[in-house]
Amino acid sequence: MSKFTEDDLKKELETKEYEYGFYTDIESDKFPVGLNEDVVIAISKKKNEPAWMTDWRLDAFRIWKEMTEPEWANIRYKKPSFQDISYYAAPKQKPKLNSLDEVDPELLKTFEKLGISVGEQKRLSNVAVDIVMDSVSVATTFKKTLNEKGIIFCPISEAIQNHPELVKKYMGSIVPKTDNFYAALNSAVFSDGSFCYIPKGVTCPMELSTYFRINEGGTGQFERTLLIADEGSYVSYLEGCTAPTRDENQLHAAVVELIALDDAEIKYSTVQNWFPGDKEGKGGVFNFVTKRGLCEKNAKISWTQVETGSAITWKYPSCILKGDNAVGEFYSIAVTNNYQQADTGTKMIHLGSNTKSTIISKGISAGHSQNSYRGLVQISPRANNARNFSQCDSLLMGDKCGAHTFPYIEAKNKSAQIEHEATTSKIGEDQLFYCNQRGINTEKAIALIVNGFGKEVLNKLPMEFAVEAQKLLEISLEGSVG
Amino acid sequence: MLKVNNLHANINGKEILKGINLDIKAGEVHAIMGPNGSGKSTLASVIAGKEDFEVTEGSVVLNDEDLSELAPEVRAHKGIFLSFQYPVEIPGVTVTNFIKTAINETRKAQGMAELPAKEMLQLIREKADLLEIDRKFLSRSLNEGFSGGEKKRNEIFQMAMLEPQLAILDETDSGLDIDALKVVANGVNKIKSEKNAVLLITHYQRLLDYIVPDFVHVLYNGKIVKSGGKELAHELEEKGYDWLK
Ligand SMILES: Nc1ncnc2c1ncn2[C@@H]1O[C@H](COP(=O)(O)OP(=O)(O)OP(=O)(O)O)[C@@H](O)[C@H]1O
Ligand SMILES: [Mg+2]
């Protein structure tokens, strides 16, 4: 992996951007950092976007300019200076390597522990492969199958060109530009992301994975995902991968919008393993994500996430249960170690009658980390017989970390049934000795106990993902007990 | 096989074991009896390597190797098994997953490959049958909500799976009903051979009717105050411990 300093990077960007000559009409000394209307226009132009999109971005930018960064999350960090960031980062090309020997040995070790195949290791670390790789042919077959079903799965930039009617109709309908600071920023400058449309009555025959997409483009700092499941359709979508993701960009602000029309179901699974910073907590990624889904009548959205990375995670995948009988689910494991901070949870907004939501949150804190659950269950006056069940469990390792639970409940309809359970536990010396006595060393014992703790959530992940996620939990907590 | 030499151990500065000597040979069954708080469980923990206890004098030697510096898991890999008086719960970890991990970690330490899933399953079935354990039981979380007797039976199931050289059974009989006691004792006897040994800790003669000891020791206030044959257990049952003080 590259060992760029921020300055090297800026310099490199500068030269590249001049090379492509995108900024001819902007003062050169202001570039590439900083954000103004010209930069927004430039981003849009570079992507050859139609005028309506450019206007949309500009509108978002004007909204963002008036907003201030939120303060309320239970996290502490040095705020990024938004005028010191380059918003012009085209999807970055990782440096091409000739063989795995050139890859950071630490990274290779992690790959091995995760059980990632050699071919996959090469792909992830951008080693040039001369033979036709398996994943390429898999991706081709994959696309063919999707086409036959009428499923659209492409970069969002492509969707803006080819499916403007869908993008116009739905983008920003769930997470409006005005929603929050980071969402507004994302709306103005989003680099790329995924678009997915499942036609009426179609059950997507495979897990849709950004895995394939990242291959084509590289990840961006401001990703935008739009997923529409038309009436009666079903899709299971996987985001991220367990392999450690390093990025020179410290700030990440993604937006994900899900739309489940009548009788549709979306299962959205995330494994997030961004660079968490070193043992002292330096250099990790700040991850501010807005994820929200809308459920029409009888529709269901289920968010499952395993969060182990980032220095700071701020993220509340939410469901708006608009239609009657809609179902929202949130299953989450968030691990924090060393100096990581996570403030995550969900919002379940019950608007329709007989709507139902389930929240299972498992927080694991080790080292000096802080792990907060923040959840809102809101029952609107016309949501008759709405039901919610929430369970928030925290597992603490050592006595320097913290776990916090902030459940907010706003019930405006008397027929609502809301249940909330919370527990906090520690890994006991007795549990460890018991495992040791059976030949299981302490590190492995912790992994076992933690996986047991997170089982209800892990069980919700698609099979292959679950196996990798378990190993990931194991690795994330390595060295957390002395 | 196992030699305990003049073993002294403290916890929080308080001496619990005050010079214990034991010599257990392969093929033998030893029983330790003694009043509450005399140090029986402490002795078991110290042999198994629990780090809360500080060994101030003496040694524990397995097959001529001093165990003093070895971590509990390493002692386990070398064939020491402890059936706990109070087995702990591990939520979300099934009995099957736990024992599978224990077996494979032990094999790994011994330089062997993981046991293939099919063989593992077969072994689990065989040992579960031996201890008359219902298959459904195996997919429950370890010890979570188990009855006292179920916990003990599960300990012996794990012992049967791991086939240790030296099995220390700390009050495995307490909590077992009469039928369960027979099943568990029968399980222990089936596994017993000329190559391994058993150290039973118990308060009751009853267990010793089923697993017949070669030696009985009385532990009192951190010391072995009397040793004898199996008759000693009967004598204790009749007279209690007072006459030994
Ligand atoms: N962690 C500890 N801290 C302080 N004292 C302890 C600790 N563990 C054990 N002891 C003490 O050591 C003594 C011996 O305890 P141990 O559990 O070995 O007794 P035992 O012979 O197994 O008793 P029982 O028949 O009731 O099981 C007791 O007085 C007990 O209170
Ligand atoms: Mg005891």
Side-chain angles (χ1 to χ4, degrees):
Chain A
M1 291 257 101
S2 59
K3 291 225 165 58
F4 287 128
T5 65
E6 278 292 307
D7 285 350
D8 287 339
L9 185 80
K10 274 182 203 158
K11 229 173 266 154
E12 199 200 53
L13 273 175
E14 242 167 318
T15 41
K16 269 220 187 91
E17 270 135 18
Y18 278 116
E19 222 169 77
Y20 296 115
F22 290 128
Y23 296 115
T24 40
D25 50 353
I26 301 171
E27 276 180 44
S28 57
D29 56 348
K30 280 195 186 146
F31 239 56
V33 298
L35 186 56
N36 54 40
E37 294 203 0
D38 291 338
V39 172
V40 174
I41 292 167
I43 292 169
S44 190
K45 212 185 253 173
K46 179 179 178 265
K47 296 179 169 297
N48 267 326
E49 287 176 352
W52 61 267
M53 194 68 240
T54 315
D55 292 343
W56 198 85
R57 286 179 183 273
L58 281 171
D59 187 40
F61 172 73
R62 286 168 200 142
I63 292 166
W64 176 76
K65 238 177 29 184
E66 302 304 316
M67 291 173 121
T68 43
E69 215 180 335
E71 298 272 5
W72 48 276
N74 192 32
I75 47 183
R76 261 164 260 281
Y77 61 101
K78 193 177 167 297
K79 283 187 187 158
S81 164
F82 291 94
Q83 292 302 341
D84 282 347
I85 296 171
S86 164
Y87 293 89
Y88 210 74
K92 277 198 202 74
Q93 290 297 309
K94 296 182 205 162
K96 276 264 183 232
L97 305 177
N98 294 316
S99 82
L100 278 178
D101 298 340
E102 295 173 31
V103 177
D104 177 4
E106 279 298 307
L107 187 67
L108 288 184
K109 240 192 265 164
T110 311
F111 281 159
E112 233 137 74
K113 284 187 201 154
L114 285 167
I116 292 172
S117 72
V118 173
E120 198 66 357
Q121 289 183 25
K122 287 186 175 173
R123 189 181 72 73
L124 290 165
S125 47
N126 212 28
V127 171
V129 220
D130 39 11
I131 45 164
V132 179
M133 231 168 55
D134 249 12
S135 63
V136 175
S137 52
V138 170
T140 315
T141 352
F142 178 81
K143 275 188 180 153
K144 204 173 141 229
T145 316
L146 295 183
N147 276 340
E148 281 164 6
K149 298 252 174 194
I151 295 169
I152 307 167
F153 183 40
C154 64
I156 200 147
S157 53
E158 227 172 278
I160 292 168
Q161 307 293 340
N162 303 336
H163 309 282
E165 67 298 337
L166 285 172
V167 177
K168 261 191 214 168
K169 182 166 176 195
Y170 290 110
M171 190 154 74
S173 68
I174 313 299
V175 179
K177 290 172 269 194
T178 50
D179 193 78
N180 70 67
F181 183 82
Y182 306 109
L185 178 62
N186 175 289
S187 302
V189 303
F190 69 87
S191 34
D192 213 336
S194 306
F195 175 84
C196 173
Y197 172 79
I198 316 288
K200 261 184 204 166
V202 169
T203 294
C204 184
M206 65 253 288
E207 316 275 352
L208 287 188
S209 168
T210 49
Y211 226 54
F212 292 102
R213 282 249 18 261
I214 285 169
N215 233 350
E216 297 163 11
T219 55
Q221 189 174 7
F222 302 101
E223 268 192 276
R224 184 106 198 171
T225 302
L226 180 59
L227 199 167
I228 303 147
D230 210 330
E231 292 172 17
S233 67
Y234 169 83
V235 63
S236 166
Y237 189 92
L238 310 182
E239 173 197 59
C241 66
T242 51
T245 319
R246 281 176 188 257
D247 199 295
E248 303 85 355
N249 297 312
Q250 196 179 29
L251 174 73
H252 282 252
V255 170
V256 176
E257 293 176 286
L258 309 185
I259 294 112
L261 297 178
D262 291 0
D263 305 300
E265 180 175 348
I266 300 173
K267 202 168 142 49
Y268 194 101
S269 314
T270 308
V271 172
Q272 186 265 118
N273 189 17
W274 293 106
F275 183 51
D278 60 18
K279 283 233 153 59
E280 278 75 50
K282 289 197 193 94
V285 165
F286 295 174
N287 196 20
F288 301 101
V289 186
T290 309
K291 287 183 162 176
R292 196 173 302 150
L294 177 83
C295 291
E296 294 285 1
K297 216 167 79 205
N298 303 323
K300 176 175 172 181
I301 289 179
S302 150
W303 299 100
T304 306
Q305 57 175 28
V306 176
E307 301 275 326
T308 65
S310 299
I312 292 175
T313 304
W314 179 95
K315 162 169 185 183
Y316 315 91
S318 305
C319 297
I320 301 169
L321 305 172
K322 181 175 165 225
D324 291 349
N325 311 315
V327 176
E329 293 175 340
F330 174 74
Y331 300 97
S332 166
I333 298 178
V335 180
T336 53
N337 197 359
N338 299 318
Y339 285 87
Q340 282 175 271
Q341 304 177 65
D343 196 305
T344 141
T346 184
K347 287 181 206 158
M348 293 291 175
I349 314 292
H350 292 252
L351 302 177
S353 288
N354 302 313
T355 46
K356 205 176 124 187
S357 62
T358 306
I359 300 172
I360 309 281
S361 161
K362 304 272 178 176
I364 300 151
S365 346
H368 292 80
S369 68
Q370 295 296 327
N371 203 330
S372 304
Y373 166 82
R374 190 183 300 277
L376 171 67
V377 176
Q378 199 178 56
I379 315 278
S380 85
R382 56 180 187 84
N384 291 319
N385 302 314
R387 274 184 295 162
N388 163 265
F389 174 75
S390 304
Q391 186 183 324
C392 304
D393 298 324
S394 309
L395 186 67
L396 297 171
M397 298 167 63
D399 49 15
K400 298 197 174 61
C401 54
H404 318 272
T405 307
F406 306 100
Y408 303 99
I409 295 165
E410 292 169 17
K412 296 195 177 113
N413 184 310
K414 284 214 170 70
S415 64
Q417 282 179 31
I418 299 173
E419 277 177 83
H420 178 85
E421 287 173 12
T423 65
T424 301
S425 50
K426 279 196 167 199
I427 293 186
E429 289 296 322
D430 285 351
Q431 283 177 318
L432 292 178
F433 180 62
Y434 187 91
C435 294
N436 292 160
Q437 206 301 306
R438 298 296 136 93
I440 302 167
N441 67 32
T442 301
E443 202 138 283
K444 188 86 195 170
I446 289 172
L448 197 67
I449 295 168
V450 164
N451 277 316
F453 174 76
K455 193 178 180 182
E456 287 159 279
V457 176
L458 291 170
N459 281 348
K460 294 287 167 187
L461 289 172
M463 194 52 189
E464 333 75 83
F465 231 39
V467 174
E468 282 188 36
Q470 282 187 27
K471 289 189 191 148
L472 180 61
L473 290 181
E474 210 166 317
I475 291 171
S476 312
L477 290 165
E478 256 175 23
S480 56
V481 162
Chain B
M1 175 194 278
L2 183 87
K3 283 206 173 92
V4 176
N5 307 308
N6 187 33
L7 187 67
H8 291 252
N10 284 357
I11 188 149
N12 302 329
K14 182 178 153 207
E15 185 163 64
I16 311 283
L17 302 182
K18 302 169 180 171
I20 307 252
N21 290 291
L22 270 179
D23 185 355
I24 303 175
K25 297 197 168 64
E28 291 179 349
V29 175
H30 289 236
I32 292 189
M33 302 180 81
N36 295 134
S38 55
K40 304 181 296 298
S41 295
T42 303
L43 175 63
S45 299
V46 172
I47 295 173
K50 191 164 189 183
E51 277 142 16
D52 299 357
F53 296 98
E54 184 198 359
V55 175
T56 50
E57 221 184 308
S59 61
V60 178
V61 177
L62 182 73
N63 300 324
D64 299 324
E65 183 183 9
D66 189 342
L67 300 182
S68 306
E69 298 299 314
L70 301 182
E73 63 271 21
V74 179
R75 298 185 196 207
H77 299 153
K78 293 189 185 289
I80 289 185
F81 178 91
L82 170 57
S83 166
F84 285 79
Q85 184 175 358
Y86 305 109
V88 302
E89 299 180 357
I90 307 189
V93 178
T94 62
V95 174
T96 307
N97 188 17
F98 183 78
I99 194 64
K100 185 185 100 190
T101 310
I103 295 238
N104 282 333
E105 288 296 297
T106 302
R107 288 175 68 97
K108 204 162 81 190
Q110 293 164 347
M112 291 193 285
E114 288 196 352
L115 196 63
K118 210 174 136 207
E119 285 172 47
M120 182 73 76
L121 207 66
Q122 208 173 348
L123 191 65
I124 289 175
R125 284 207 186 120
E126 182 191 312
K127 303 298 183 184
D129 288 347
L130 173 67
L131 290 155
E132 299 180 16
I133 289 175
D134 189 344
R135 298 279 153 75
K136 272 190 236 133
F137 188 81
L138 299 171
S139 43
R140 282 177 59 182
S141 287
L142 189 71
N143 291 322
E144 205 180 25
F146 287 15
S147 74
E150 284 168 344
K151 284 184 186 169
K152 297 305 173 72
R153 196 188 288 233
N154 177 45
E155 292 289 285
I156 301 307
F157 163 70
Q158 293 183 41
M159 180 192 100
M161 289 292 293
L162 289 160
E163 300 194 337
Q165 267 199 69
L166 174 75
I168 308 169
L169 311 186
D170 191 355
E171 297 198 22
T172 300
D173 53 337
S174 54
L176 291 177
D177 65 43
I178 298 164
D179 293 336
L181 183 70
K182 281 186 198 160
V183 172
V184 165
N186 177 48
V188 174
N189 286 330
K190 281 254 170 67
I191 293 151
K192 184 87 235 6
S193 78
E194 284 311 304
K195 292 201 185 93
N196 55 31
V198 178
L199 179 59
L200 297 170
I201 296 173
T202 180
H203 288 293
Y204 307 106
Q205 159 60 33
R206 202 180 52 173
L207 174 70
L208 306 181
D209 286 340
Y210 297 107
I211 309 173
V212 182
D214 300 295
F215 299 93
V216 175
H217 311 277
V218 179
L219 188 62
Y220 182 79
N221 194 15
K223 275 188 198 146
I224 289 177
V225 291
K226 193 165 179 64
S227 297
K230 61 174 191 262
E231 342 61 66
L232 180 55
H234 287 284
E235 216 176 329
L236 293 167
E237 186 104 332
E238 269 172 44
K239 301 203 232 166
Y241 296 109
D242 267 356
W243 61 288
L244 289 167
K245 278 180 187 168

